Amino acid sequence: MNLSYDLHSHSTASDGTLSPRDLVDYALSAGVDVLALTDHDTTEGLREAAVAAEGSRLCLVSGVEISVTWGGQVVHIVGLGFDPQDPTLQVGLAELRTFRGWRAEEIGRRLAKHGIADAYEGAKRYSNGHLISRTHFARFLVDNGFSPDMRKVFKQYLTQGKPGHVAGEWAELDRAVNWIQGAGGEAVIAHPARYNMTRTKLRRLIGEFTEAGGVALEVVSSSHSKDEMFTMAKHSRDFSLRASAGSDYHGPETPWANLGKLAPLPDNAVPIWRGWSTEKAVAAV
Ligand code: AMP
Ligand code: MN
Ligand code: MN
Ligand code: MN
């Protein structure tokens, strides 16, 4: 049977706009069979999603998207099918959220110096209080007329060299991969074509990731063009990695990244789910 997989999505536990329950309901209505909830640096939404998926035909895979600093830039590593109770993983994620908390306050202070008052409190109101991401600042800034839309606001305020940008160190690549593996999961490089890396640097990243125990590249992503998809499929074959597919859905406001509306994996890519038992995926949460 040909199942529909979407292995990259967000809920209100990080910077998505649907609650985990609503995300699961939407995935069901969109024809997704196997869904991974992969919130940034937290697994807090997994329980609610698992309860919502129970008794339905949806198979929920535990997931997380870990923020990593590698080669002087931020890289995202998705973890799939791990035990969310794993203490080492949870301590690692908690560290990242502590940094996030400090960074959010610092973004607020910098925006205040730039004449935008109360941005921290504003961003916090857009979050569920558990974790604040730049996306929450972006929504606050757009809704208060500081920027016309979600694309421009990042360029204007939240990226390198801009008033609300705060640099910092996230997890190390091999640590993030080890947390996932140590918890029984599989590590995937998220949206590899989005890092604006030269081919040489990207292949260095993939090499170090493979060396650390990573198993797949996200070949199909809403943020990849067709050409990028084929290029990433080739990189995955060259490194004997498998291929993952995920929309990176954040909610109905960003229709270009829609749940379950993914291109099929290229024929010559080996799906990460080859050999997965779907019952095991549910039991893991
Ligand atoms: P953070 O992890 O808090 O630094 O926030 C990163 C998140 O911001 C990403 O996961 C995206 O959801 C969002 N993001 C980053 N850059 C952009 C952009 N240029 N346009 C829209 N959303 C973006
Ligand atoms: Mn995000
Ligand atoms: Mn990402
Ligand atoms: Mn994501």
Side-chain angles (χ1 to χ4, degrees):
M1 191 172 58
N2 245 345
L3 298 176
S4 163
Y5 287 83
D6 195 320
L7 302 177
H8 188 153
S9 67
H10 296 273
S11 75
T12 47
S14 68
D15 60 352
T17 58
L18 297 185
S19 68
R21 163 168 294 282
D22 289 346
L23 180 77
V24 164
D25 288 347
Y26 180 60
L28 275 162
S29 73
V32 174
D33 299 298
V34 183
L35 174 76
L37 172 59
T38 55
D39 277 309
H40 298 284
D41 307 321
T42 183
T43 61
E44 133 134 345
L46 291 178
R47 179 147 299 281
E48 182 183 320
V51 169
E54 214 172 275
S56 80
R57 57 162 186 78
L58 187 86
C59 170
L60 183 77
V61 176
S62 58
V64 68
E65 182 173 16
I66 303 182
S67 309
V68 161
T69 302
W70 182 87
Q73 63 187 101
V74 180
V75 166
H76 286 168
I77 301 295
V78 159
L80 297 174
F82 51 82
D83 169 13
Q85 315 296 339
D86 183 82
T88 307
L89 170 69
Q90 288 304 342
V91 168
L93 296 180
E95 259 176 47
L96 294 177
R97 291 195 302 273
T98 301
F99 172 65
R100 262 185 190 284
W102 171 83
R103 183 189 69 155
E105 291 178 28
E106 183 63 19
I107 292 175
R109 286 190 285 270
R110 293 197 189 186
L111 289 174
K113 276 194 197 137
H114 192 72
I116 300 174
D118 301 327
Y120 172 75
E121 290 74 15
K124 198 169 182 178
R125 279 197 297 277
Y126 285 79
S127 79
N128 78 351
H130 175 67
L131 174 154
I132 304 181
S133 118
R134 282 185 298 160
T135 314
H136 301 117
F137 282 94
R139 291 187 187 125
F140 164 81
L141 291 166
V142 170
D143 288 357
N144 286 280
F146 293 105
S147 194
D149 62 57
M150 285 297 281
R151 280 186 193 283
K152 294 212 176 78
V153 69
F154 275 88
K155 280 204 183 117
Q156 240 177 309
Y157 291 104
L158 299 168
T159 49
Q160 190 130 31
K162 298 302 153 64
H165 182 259
V166 178
E169 292 289 309
W170 297 97
E172 283 158 12
L173 177 66
D174 55 345
R175 281 186 88 207
V177 172
N178 289 344
W179 294 340
I180 295 163
Q181 261 201 326
E186 297 183 309
V188 181
I189 300 182
H191 41 66
R194 284 289 62 77
Y195 303 123
N196 293 322
M197 287 181 189
T198 60
R199 185 172 182 280
T200 308
K201 185 172 178 184
L202 181 61
R203 287 176 73 92
R204 193 155 57 82
L205 168 67
I206 300 170
E208 287 188 25
F209 168 77
T210 307
E211 201 59 12
V215 304
L217 295 188
E218 204 168 74
V219 167
V220 170
S221 162
S222 306
S223 74
H224 286 177
S225 68
K226 216 166 194 173
D227 281 354
E228 288 169 338
M229 171 180 85
F230 286 117
T231 306
M232 296 310 140
K234 177 162 178 357
H235 289 317
S236 72
R237 286 199 310 280
D238 289 350
F239 287 84
S240 301
L241 294 177
R242 285 178 282 147
S244 188
S247 61
D248 207 359
Y249 183 71
H250 280 73
E253 301 79 7
T254 49
W256 60 86
N258 205 354
L259 212 59
K261 301 282 179 291
L262 291 166
L265 282 179
D267 285 343
N268 50 13
V270 182
I272 187 170
W273 53 83
R274 186 165 291 173
W276 275 9
S277 130
T278 48
E279 285 96 56
K280 179 173 166 276
V282 176
V285 182

